[in-house]
Amino acid sequence: MLKFISMKLGLALLVALTVSFISFILLYMAGDPAVSIAGEGATADVIAAIRQQYGFDRPLLAQYIEWLMRALSGDFGMSYYFKMPVSDMVAERLPVTITIGVLGMGFALVLAIPMGVLAAAFPNSWLDRLALGIAVVGQAIPSFWFGLILIVIFSVNLGLVPASGTRHWTGYILPMIVLGYYATPAIMRLTRAGMLEVLSADYIRTARAKGLNWRSILFKHALRNAIIPVVSLAAVQLGFMFGGSVVVETIFALHGAGFLAWESISRNDLPTMQALILIFSMFYIGFTLLADILNAWLDPRLRSG
Amino acid sequence: MRLINAAAAVLLPVCLFSSTALAGKADDTLNIAFSKELEHVDPYYNTAREGILLGAAVWDALLYRDPKTGNYVGNLATGWTWIDDTTLELTLRQGVTFHNGEPFDADDVVFTLNYVIDPKNGNKSQANTSWIKSAEKVDAFKVRIHTNGPFPAALEYLAGPIIIQPNEYYAKVGQQGVALKPIGTGPYRMESVEPGKHFVLKRNDAYFAAAKPKASIGTVDIRTVPDANTQMAELFNGDIDLVWGVPADQADKMAKMGKFQVINAPTMRVGYLSLDAAGRTGAKNPMTDLRVRQAVNHAINRQGIVDALMKGTSAVINSACSPVQFGCEQAVTTYAYDPKKAKALLAEAGYPQGFSIDFYAYRDRPLAEAMIGMLAEVGITAKLNYMQYAALREKRIKEGTPISFMTWGSNSIADVSAITSAFFRMGGEDDARDPEVAALLEKGDSSVALDARKAAYGKALTTIADKAYWVPLWIYSSNYVMGADVSFTPTPDELIRFYDISWK
């Protein structure tokens, strides 16, 4: 197991390094940072002076290595746009994104797994159809529209929660639902498919023949085997939520890391983009790694792979 | 089940409590929504309108332009005279203190001006300060500003974006400190800053109130709410009292409800098409031909777009500037909507079948698409390239674009030097590169006599219209939506003076 983990860990680090290097090169090719720093009405002389002052005229590889060395010690440089240390800004905004991501994933799992299990336990029943309906709707509704509808109903009409912001903890409820609901269909369908396959396996028939109680078979014997692909999917979805909650953060005025990333891109704020790309890719890589380890723990056969 | 009941018993009152409106007159707090994140509260380190608003609330400039009369009055300065063409001497007001108690004097003015003109310090709005050569202290309450050549529009800039920072405090905390705790002399002091997200302003009861009045409302609470629909929801809930820049269809709906005040007011922002007359994207570019540029002018039904899509107080313009700006000559060649004539001009220029061209835009996609449709009717196939502003600007500076749909708000400076000179004096975004126009504008920018300035600008704008370098489109208007108990009258310069807002 230890060998398995260390091998996966080494691979993950390599991937993270590659991602950061490629994104660094691409970002520098996409726009001239000196022009965006100089601001409106700057002359060519000023732009040239800035290019030199910030060291943009040096070879890219040298710039990257310098950036990486600093980043490893936690210094991501200054945001061109906010004129603040990037690490401070990210530290301030990441908790919001992580909070709604974890809440959203919790919401999705609590909704999706029982529904998937029930849908598989009673295939083609009205319960299955209901679960399918919820999944189809969740996949079909764009999250910005769903978010606004929830705001109109629960904030404007019923006055139960604030429409935006997190001045009060109730402000997290609607973002959690919107973000979580979007992840629900895939998890539920995968749970259902896995359960259907497992439930038709011989050992389940044996367990039933032994006279074990149905609930214990479903949740103890079958779910543990059916959930392996769901764990991988949920891990990737969580990575997606941490990096891609831009829409939800915009609608609910949450000012998390996703919104910051979007803003940095539109404003050519390289240090911020670079730090966020590294952090987001670390999330993806970390969660994939976690999923691998969890799966290996759940299913010893995977450890040799 | 018991657990759920218990949880509900705890949660429900909390939920209900959270919904009680915090806003408004009852606690003397005006809640405002910004649509985009302001990068830095120091007006020299942002290029956003939101920054200009905070600049006017928290700081003071040396002069002040009365929005009603258009005249300059003293603010932090009490008197000013041009000693020669390039030296302005200002007498400063005595007895003014900054929010932290630091007394205001000549050192603050000299420090601020010399700091912002130094490229090392990364001032973002260089267009506002590039005319200053240096500032010099004469005595404790007298300063001299030396300009780079004669620059009569200086007063307009000194009354607008050039605000004065406290030198001792600034030296102590630096740019980063100012980002979190800015100090000025203005009618409001900044109580708290969460960068980009949330700003709380408190009335400065000790304000000297020479040009601007003392603030009426005790607290201004500003949150950034990027989504227009969410802003409307917050207005319904009473959690926001004032927003602006509301899209026309939404403003219409809000007005029909009768619960809100909806005001449409013009702004200084103009829209225009910049045509690559200088051939920067290639010498064979059709836009280098005067007849083609005239055809483009004739092809676009500006009035039709204003009536159908913009509404309110938006209006068509014919000069390359906003009509409220000084020197914006109105008696120029105009191009009426005439697709037949456009086609004839294209045929005459050797394009009887029309041509294909790249069309760049960064905002107002529906307006861009309407114009592209009109160009198609005369045979010009314009391909829309929709980009972020920063990226488009960079492209325009570096390599130019055949046609760009741009807008410009002139930083609320009511002088043609802030727009026509910014785009036609051989700068990065000058698509005409016409030395005659550039020379005329330079003359206008540097002449001291008002008549001479007006004449030079008039001639430059006439030439720009004759040569059809731009398609001047329209001035934008802004929809302000506010709660029933807010008393506020928008001004055409789109500056929301928080200190002029009161409760009904």
Side-chain angles (χ1 to χ4, degrees):
Chain A
M1 188 72 179
L2 202 66
K3 191 179 149 221
F4 170 81
I5 293 180
S6 54
M7 203 180 74
K8 287 277 175 195
L9 203 65
L11 206 65
L13 278 177
L14 223 61
V15 173
L17 216 62
T18 315
V19 168
S20 87
F21 180 68
I22 293 177
S23 63
F24 191 89
I25 302 294
L26 285 179
L27 286 177
Y28 274 78
M29 282 185 348
D32 186 343
V35 175
S36 21
I37 298 173
E40 276 164 12
T43 57
D45 298 348
V46 172
I47 293 173
I50 286 173
R51 194 169 289 134
Q52 206 190 3
Q53 184 193 345
Y54 282 79
F56 297 139
D57 46 357
R58 292 171 306 148
L60 264 185
L61 195 65
Q63 290 187 49
Y64 174 70
I65 290 171
E66 193 200 13
W67 174 83
L68 188 67
M69 288 301 143
R70 285 213 199 138
L72 287 178
S73 62
D75 174 12
F76 288 104
M78 294 282 284
S79 159
Y80 297 159
Y81 186 65
F82 285 94
K83 309 266 175 202
M84 301 237 301
V86 171
S87 41
D88 289 5
M89 280 167 33
V90 173
E92 194 207 325
R93 288 172 189 241
L94 211 49
V96 177
T97 305
I98 292 180
T99 307
I100 58 167
V102 169
L103 286 173
M105 185 43 77
F107 179 81
L109 290 177
V110 166
L111 190 69
I113 291 185
M115 274 200 323
V117 170
L118 287 177
F122 308 101
N124 300 322
S125 67
W126 65 268
L127 236 160
D128 191 13
R129 302 269 175 245
L130 179 73
L132 179 70
I134 292 177
V136 168
V137 171
Q139 198 82 75
I141 295 184
S143 44
F144 71 89
W145 190 79
F146 185 49
L148 288 173
I149 293 298
L150 290 186
I151 289 177
V152 169
I153 296 174
F154 292 101
S155 179
V156 176
N157 290 341
L158 298 177
L160 291 175
V161 289
S164 70
T166 50
R167 285 160 299 174
H168 196 270
W169 65 268
T170 49
Y172 284 109
I173 295 178
L174 296 186
M176 169 186 89
I177 295 175
V178 175
L179 203 58
Y181 191 33
Y182 189 71
T184 302
I187 296 177
M188 188 171 75
R189 297 308 285 173
L190 203 61
T191 309
R192 180 182 179 273
M195 284 297 282
L196 274 180
E197 197 186 316
V198 170
L199 285 178
S200 62
D202 290 345
Y203 76 93
I204 299 290
R205 201 179 48 203
T206 313
R208 293 191 77 168
K210 274 199 313 190
L212 277 183
N213 119 353
W214 182 227
R215 211 161 78 190
S216 143
I217 293 175
L218 263 187
F219 287 96
K220 236 174 163 174
H221 297 258
L223 187 59
R224 185 171 161 149
N225 282 298
I227 208 149
I228 290 173
V230 176
V231 170
S232 307
L233 178 72
V236 175
Q237 292 264 17
L238 190 58
F240 173 78
M241 283 180 178
F242 283 0
S245 53
V246 180
V247 173
V248 172
E249 286 178 17
T250 308
I251 292 174
F252 294 101
L254 291 178
H255 306 284
F259 187 63
L260 182 64
W262 186 82
E263 281 209 320
S264 324
I265 292 167
S266 61
R267 283 155 178 175
N268 246 348
D269 189 352
L270 291 182
T272 313
M273 274 192 267
Q274 191 60 27
L276 287 172
I277 289 172
L278 185 69
I279 289 165
F280 290 154
S281 62
M282 290 295 236
F283 275 134
Y284 272 103
I285 293 162
F287 285 123
T288 318
L289 181 69
L290 192 71
D292 283 346
I293 293 171
L294 263 177
N295 277 335
W297 175 66
L298 285 169
D299 183 353
R301 280 171 304 180
L302 293 175
R303 284 174 215 171
S304 55
Chain B
M1 207 59 209
R2 219 175 29 203
L3 196 71
I4 295 174
N5 282 338
V10 175
L11 292 187
L12 212 59
V14 179
C15 292
L16 292 175
F17 175 73
S18 75
S19 69
T20 48
L22 305 158
K25 201 174 171 178
D27 59 354
D28 198 21
T29 301
L30 181 76
N31 290 281
I32 290 179
F34 277 0
S35 294
K36 63 177 177 189
E37 290 203 5
L38 179 67
E39 57 265 47
H40 197 296
V41 288
D42 183 337
Y44 293 110
Y45 292 103
N46 66 66
T47 51
R49 175 142 305 269
E50 288 79 359
I52 302 177
L53 305 188
L54 289 184
V58 177
W59 287 272
D60 279 297
L62 290 165
L63 311 180
Y64 184 73
R65 184 168 48 82
D66 189 321
K68 289 192 191 83
T69 61
N71 294 334
Y72 300 113
V73 292
N75 193 13
L76 283 176
T78 53
W80 57 95
T81 43
W82 286 100
I83 291 186
D84 56 51
D85 281 358
T86 58
T87 312
L88 182 67
E89 186 174 275
L90 298 114
T91 313
L92 305 180
R93 191 175 300 279
Q94 306 197 9
V96 175
T97 51
F98 286 95
H99 299 146
N100 63 350
E102 187 180 324
F104 164 77
D105 58 23
D107 291 328
D108 301 302
V109 179
V110 171
F111 164 79
T112 304
L113 298 184
N114 287 332
Y115 186 85
V116 297
I117 57 175
D118 186 345
K120 259 208 331 277
N121 296 319
N123 167 15
K124 277 254 193 182
S125 41
Q126 308 223 0
N128 291 334
T129 51
S130 56
W131 55 274
I132 302 173
K133 192 168 155 212
S134 64
E136 167 202 8
K137 177 179 174 179
V138 178
D139 63 37
F141 290 97
K142 197 161 268 180
V143 293
R144 279 183 186 171
I145 299 174
H146 302 282
T147 64
N148 289 315
F151 190 69
L155 299 183
E156 176 68 23
Y157 290 83
L158 290 177
I162 299 182
I163 53 87
I164 302 302
Q165 297 276 11
N167 66 322
E168 287 155 45
Y169 176 73
Y170 207 105
K172 203 172 79 194
V173 302
Q175 253 178 50
Q176 268 190 64
V178 171
L180 296 171
K181 182 78 192 160
I183 297 285
T185 52
Y188 280 101
R189 63 186 165 79
M190 192 72 83
E191 169 100 341
S192 72
V193 177
E194 290 173 56
K197 297 191 284 191
H198 188 200
F199 311 93
V200 180
L201 307 178
K202 291 273 182 200
R203 182 173 52 214
N204 172 12
D205 288 316
Y207 186 55
F208 63 95
K212 303 186 225 174
K214 278 195 181 190
S216 163
I217 290 175
T219 307
V220 178
D221 187 299
I222 303 164
R223 282 197 302 134
T224 304
V225 180
D227 189 87
N229 295 300
T230 312
Q231 290 183 352
M232 296 305 114
E234 295 280 23
L235 270 165
F236 281 124
N237 286 357
D239 285 339
I240 282 178
D241 302 305
L242 169 65
V243 291
W244 58 93
V246 178
D249 53 340
Q250 256 170 353
D252 279 354
K253 279 184 209 138
M254 298 298 275
K256 280 186 192 125
M257 293 184 59
K259 264 171 71 180
F260 304 98
Q261 307 175 64
V262 179
I263 301 175
N264 180 281
T267 71
M268 218 182 267
R269 181 168 296 276
V270 303
Y272 62 91
L273 298 183
S274 185
L275 311 177
D276 181 21
R280 296 172 67 209
T281 58
K284 282 199 194 123
N285 173 13
M287 291 301 147
T288 52
D289 190 314
L290 171 63
R291 292 164 295 191
V292 174
R293 297 199 299 273
Q294 288 172 333
V296 173
N297 268 278
H298 281 301
I300 290 170
N301 183 359
R302 301 171 295 166
Q303 192 62 51
I305 292 178
V306 166
D307 292 343
L309 298 173
M310 302 182 73
K311 299 180 181 158
T313 49
S314 295
V316 166
I317 55 166
N318 294 307
S319 303
C321 43
S322 164
V324 298
Q325 291 176 306
F326 172 83
C328 190
E329 177 62 58
Q330 297 299 303
V332 299
T333 310
T334 58
Y335 299 90
Y337 173 55
D338 189 347
K340 264 197 201 122
K341 196 165 176 192
K343 271 188 191 158
L345 281 162
L346 284 177
E348 203 181 303
Y351 300 101
Q353 307 302 322
F355 53 86
S356 295
I357 198 156
D358 280 316
F359 185 107
Y360 289 82
Y362 75 98
R363 61 176 272 175
D364 303 323
R365 196 175 187 125
L367 305 183
E369 282 168 352
M371 286 188 275
I372 285 172
M374 290 165 183
L375 290 174
E377 273 172 38
V378 301
I380 301 174
T381 312
K383 206 175 96 224
L384 178 60
N385 297 273
Y386 201 75
M387 300 169 83
Q388 288 291 337
Y389 177 69
L392 178 53
R393 190 175 143 262
E394 188 183 324
K395 187 176 176 62
R396 285 177 48 71
I397 290 173
K398 283 194 163 160
E399 54 204 80
T401 53
I403 304 184
S404 290
F405 169 31
M406 307 300 289
T407 78
W408 188 248
S410 296
N411 290 313
S412 288
I413 291 165
D415 192 287
V416 159
S417 64
I419 177 163
T420 319
S421 305
F423 293 108
F424 286 97
R425 273 188 67 181
M426 304 283 181
E429 288 192 76
D430 185 352
D431 284 332
R433 314 254 153 164
D434 183 329
E436 189 198 330
V437 171
L440 282 166
L441 289 170
E442 198 183 334
K443 196 173 160 212
D445 290 348
S446 58
S447 300
V448 177
L450 287 184
D451 289 352
R453 295 194 69 206
K454 225 174 200 159
Y457 287 140
K459 228 170 151 193
L461 286 163
T462 315
T463 313
I464 291 169
D466 287 344
K467 301 254 177 89
Y469 289 135
W470 273 12
V471 184
L473 297 168
W474 39 65
I475 51 164
Y476 281 84
S477 64
S478 180
N479 290 302
Y480 300 76
V481 179
M482 47 195 155
D485 48 6
V486 178
S487 168
F488 168 61
T489 312
T491 46
D493 54 13
E494 212 187 340
L495 279 181
I496 295 150
R497 297 166 173 84
F498 297 149
Y499 45 85
D500 277 344
I501 306 177
S502 57
W503 301 113
K504 273 192 180 161

